[in-house]
Amino acid sequence: MTIKSILLFVLGAVGFSVNAQVPKEISMEELKLLYKELYATSAIDSFGWKNKGACDPGTIPNEIYLKAERRINFFRMMNRLPQIKITNDKKEETQAAAFICWKNNALNHEPPVSWKCYSKKAADGCSHSCLGMSNFEYHKATAFIDGWIADRGNSNYFVGHRRWLLSSRATKFCFGATSSSEALYCGLDQRNDTIKNQFIAYPWSGCVPYHLIFCKWSFAIPEIHNADFNNVKVTVKGKKGNLYPVDMLKRVDGYPDGTIVWKIESLVPTSEERDNENKLKEKGFVGEELTVKVENVIVNKKTKTYEYKVKIVEVQ
């Protein structure tokens, strides 16, 4: 099945358009289809990076760009967001950013001129990109794109990387990588008012593979709706009516789409995030259905409540 036919199935056959107000739940049928055609086919064992030594940023195969595009679009389509393209607009800057981080074994959005192999292109790439270190030996599951969605670590409490990948205004990115680093250039040709999704959630509404549920949960309202979360209240209930305690994290503006973030320690605790583990299946959570309720959100001067279900499933 082609990507075009998949898109028509997901956005058409289920009666959804990108201008709809409420994203419909992702059904098990849709999840299996998209997981097979977009997620599973974008798996990699390495970036295939080659360089000529010294300060040459090197290159990666075209296949990696295509797989990065597919992997990002999988996560976007789970929220009924339009697909993005990986382009060459800032290809050299993005590759230079990934390279300089690898060369100096550090991530920095403002690399100092004292860094090895510093260049203006690398500095531009670092300042506009999501940056990450990848480990295919020990953390293969999150070594490619997924690490930005997970946004592990205390410093990523506001899930800035996830917000860029799931931005309601995104249309294109540029990708670069070395053997153990990756960069995603953001903010290119953003759309203005074509997205009317009522909200963007992670985990999303509907069926979600247990291994793609991470420690941090997020709920965003597209910028076009002008949301105020100052008095927001979040509750999460299991299918038996049991309450899951929610730990709200500090909110940070200045990134795409107004967003709130919380943890549910009884599901994926901070200790598992730190060790890059997911024990939801082991702990018997596959089959659980959680109802998320987000109250007291001011949208265009009106108080609104949002409710959606997250169904924890296994996909093979």
Side-chain angles (χ1 to χ4, degrees), residues 42-209:
S42 61
I44 63 174
D45 293 317
S46 75
F47 289 120
W49 175 65
K50 295 181 179 180
N51 83 326
K52 299 176 181 179
C55 287
D56 172 31
T59 60
I60 55 177
N62 287 333
E63 178 188 20
I64 300 299
Y65 299 116
L66 296 174
K67 290 194 172 188
E69 184 176 284
R70 283 192 166 201
R71 181 62 61 97
I72 293 170
N73 281 329
F74 168 79
F75 288 112
R76 290 182 62 81
M77 292 176 74
M78 292 297 96
N79 264 290
R80 315 285 186 184
L81 290 166
Q83 297 182 91
I84 55 85
K85 290 290 185 181
I86 296 294
T87 74
N88 294 328
D89 294 10
K90 289 284 185 177
K91 182 178 181 179
E92 292 184 1
E93 289 82 354
T94 314
Q95 184 60 35
F99 172 72
I100 198 175
C101 290
W102 172 83
K103 189 72 175 182
N104 293 273
N105 194 30
L107 303 176
N108 194 329
H109 292 293
E110 297 180 354
V113 294
S114 60
W115 265 23
K116 299 173 185 177
C117 299
Y118 176 90
S119 69
K120 289 184 178 180
K121 285 186 176 180
D124 176 54
C126 287
S127 67
H128 290 86
S129 297
C130 292
L131 303 172
M133 290 297 189
S134 303
N135 189 319
F136 286 97
E137 182 176 0
Y138 296 106
H139 303 303
K140 182 178 178 180
T142 54
F144 179 51
I145 304 298
D146 292 34
W148 287 323
I149 294 292
D151 253 343
R152 299 187 306 273
N154 293 333
S155 63
N156 291 317
Y157 61 91
F158 52 91
V159 296
H161 304 96
R162 180 189 297 173
R163 290 163 72 171
W164 278 112
L165 269 65
L166 300 183
S167 168
S168 63
R169 299 181 61 199
T171 61
K172 60 174 68 173
F173 297 104
C174 294
F175 185 77
T178 67
S179 58
S180 58
S181 65
E182 57 182 343
L184 188 74
Y185 200 104
C186 305
L188 299 167
D189 294 343
Q190 298 186 88
R191 58 174 52 85
N192 292 319
D193 59 359
T194 56
I195 299 302
K196 306 295 184 181
N197 292 57
Q198 191 175 8
F199 62 84
I200 302 164
Y202 199 94
W204 55 84
S205 174
C207 294
V208 184

Side-chain angles (χ1 to χ4, degrees), residues 10-36:
V10 174
L11 299 186
V14 295
F16 177 85
S17 76
V18 293
N19 290 320
Q21 284 295 306
V22 182
K24 292 183 179 179
E25 290 186 357
I26 295 294
S27 68
M28 194 62 179
E29 181 184 12
E30 293 172 273
L31 175 61
K32 286 181 177 179
L33 175 65
L34 287 167
Y35 189 91
K36 177 182 177 181

